[in-house]
Amino acid sequence: MLRSAYLSDVASVLFGREDIRRRIEELGRTITGDYEGRAPVLISVLKGGSVFLADLIREIALPVSIDYMSISRYGGAAESRGRVRIVKDLDDDIGDRDVIIVEDIVDTGLTLSYLISVLESRNPASVRVCALLDKSVRRIAPLEIRYRGFECPDVFVVGYGLDVRERYRNVPDILAVQDLAAVQADPDLLLSYLPGRPAPA
Ligand code: IMP
Ligand code: MG
């Protein structure tokens, strides 16, 4: 009892799995309409965006293809001004393709705006961004998020692909972590949110 009372001060469900599912269905429908007659390539930046990508493509009624990129930052996003090293590049050429970058969350936007410039230099037909979460109050690099799941408050979030130190990507809901220091000190604190827990009302 005490532990669960304490836990609710540490983290809480911000977007439940059913809200996420419904929103992705809407995004998929919009993308399907916008790209009618075309075959966009959806690009996910590992690892966070992979869960969103997997659900999103199953709501798009088009012959899409997918590709992945892995990047590593020089220091933090702000220090590197978004410059990143490409650790794993795309498998396929994107020349003349319609590209949709699928991101879990856009925070400062530095990483993504750098990535957009890298991809645009390869002469795709178009580049648009689809982000599940938009922490717009934190934006440093202005960029257009054409397809957005939810506006996200300025709080650390985990679950549905997003991690704290590589954990909890498999939480089905998106949690707001109010006390990040507590979770970093005791990484087991959020175990009760793992799959198997009933969906929040
Ligand atoms: P930025 O937009 O360049 O600042 O970086 C965005 C990246 O930072 C995202 O793709 C996430 O990997 C990570 N990130 C930003 N905010 C959060 C958060 O609240 N939880 C987990 N990861 C985050
Ligand atoms: Mg990420």
Side-chain angles (χ1 to χ4, degrees):
M1 215 45 224
L2 249 180
R3 189 176 166 95
S4 71
Y6 173 51
L7 183 59
S8 64
D9 293 334
V10 173
S12 55
V13 174
L14 180 61
F15 301 109
R17 64 198 78 175
E18 193 50 34
D19 296 334
I20 298 170
R21 192 193 61 74
R22 271 197 297 267
R23 189 72 189 104
I24 293 177
E25 209 175 85
E26 290 170 359
L27 289 171
R29 215 177 300 130
T30 305
I31 291 172
T32 300
D34 288 359
Y35 288 84
E36 201 191 328
R38 292 187 282 170
V41 53
L42 279 72
I43 293 175
S44 166
V45 185
L46 294 169
K47 304 167 190 168
S50 58
V51 174
F52 178 36
L53 178 78
D55 283 343
L56 180 65
I57 55 171
R58 285 175 287 176
E59 300 295 343
I60 300 176
L62 296 169
V64 298
S65 50
I66 61 173
D67 210 340
Y68 295 95
M69 227 175 178
S70 182
I71 58 178
S72 103
R73 287 209 188 98
Y74 302 103
E79 298 153 49
S80 71
R81 302 294 310 168
R83 272 190 326 109
V84 293
R85 190 166 57 86
I86 297 173
V87 176
K88 182 220 167 291
D89 206 335
L90 301 173
D91 288 336
D92 298 309
D93 187 16
I94 55 166
D96 288 327
R97 298 293 306 274
D98 292 303
V99 170
I100 304 176
I101 304 175
V102 178
E103 264 283 34
D104 47 2
I105 185 167
V106 183
D107 188 45
T108 64
L110 287 167
T111 316
L112 191 53
S113 62
Y114 176 77
L115 212 61
I116 290 169
S117 69
V118 169
L119 296 182
E120 272 174 347
S121 74
R122 300 177 183 182
N123 303 310
S126 65
V127 178
R128 285 179 180 170
V129 174
C130 176
L132 183 60
L133 301 174
D134 180 6
K135 251 190 209 177
S136 60
V137 296
R138 301 243 318 151
R139 197 67 27 83
I140 293 174
L143 57 92
E144 188 197 352
I145 300 176
R146 186 62 173 244
Y147 307 104
R148 171 176 49 185
F150 303 100
E151 174 67 36
C152 184
D154 188 10
V155 59
F156 194 81
V157 287
V158 292
Y160 200 76
L162 292 147
D163 69 304
V164 200
R165 297 187 178 164
E166 293 303 323
R167 286 180 60 153
Y168 299 118
R169 295 189 195 275
N170 56 331
V171 170
D173 310 297
I174 295 174
L175 311 178
V177 180
Q178 277 90 23
D179 192 342
L180 186 57
V183 177
Q184 284 169 340
D186 178 4
D188 286 342
L189 261 187
L190 303 180
L191 282 180
S192 65
Y193 287 103
L194 290 178
R197 176 179 179 272

